[in-house]
Amino acid sequence: WSHEKQTVFLFKDVLVREGIRFAPDDASHDLEVRFIEELILGDKLDGAKMLSEALSKRRGRPRHKWFLYDIVSNACSGLDVDKLDYFMRDASGAMGQAGSDLPTQFVNNARVCWMSEGDDR
């Protein structure tokens, strides 16, 4: 059991129960559902044991859009919106500092780095 797998299960269940569709045709809808599943599972996609294995299983977006995965579940550096949320929550809960600017500092100091062709990281 993992919270990521449970989240995917609940997500798919809500789609079915509520009749939610992302596209009128099945192929496009399934691709959008797959993309969201990939975002949630990150490097645990389809039972992958290594990052390179998970990367090879991505189907939700073409390679030139893979930066979208790093925003939600960054398997390379570990810094993603989930971690920024932890920082905000922990700063407030552990230190009583509501509205910590630590996530803002991370974002302001972030850099976009171009990778060479064929680099899957």
Side-chain angles (χ1 to χ4, degrees):
W1 185 92
S2 73
H3 76 271
E4 293 92 352
K5 287 181 183 176
Q6 187 64 29
T7 301
V8 169
F9 174 79
L10 291 172
F11 167 68
K12 289 181 175 181
D13 184 60
V14 168
L15 292 180
V16 171
R17 270 192 296 114
E18 301 299 323
I20 298 170
R21 305 245 342 134
F22 294 113
D25 62 288
D26 288 342
S28 297
H29 170 78
D30 292 346
L31 189 63
E32 294 303 308
V33 171
R34 173 66 184 201
F35 175 58
I36 294 169
E37 181 180 359
E38 291 171 350
L39 289 172
I40 294 167
L41 292 175
D43 61 350
K44 299 173 187 74
L45 182 62
D46 292 340
K49 302 293 184 210
M50 298 174 57
L51 176 59
S52 60
E53 186 181 351
L55 292 174
S56 71
K57 295 172 184 268
R58 288 181 175 173
R59 303 286 180 268
R61 290 294 181 270
R63 185 179 296 266
H64 71 278
K65 296 279 187 170
W66 279 11
F67 68 91
L68 295 170
Y69 295 96
D70 291 338
I71 294 169
V72 178
S73 181
N74 192 329
C76 295
S77 74
L79 183 60
D80 50 43
V81 292
D82 206 24
K83 294 290 186 308
L84 295 176
D85 182 55
Y86 294 155
F87 288 135
M88 291 290 291
R89 185 195 63 219
D90 292 349
S92 177
M95 298 175 265
Q97 297 176 344
S100 168
D101 68 343
L102 187 57
T104 303
Q105 291 174 18
F106 275 121
V107 172
N108 288 341
N109 290 306
R111 300 292 177 264
V112 174
C113 300
W114 295 102
M115 298 181 299
S116 61
E117 187 68 30
D119 189 348
D120 288 338
R121 291 178 286 144

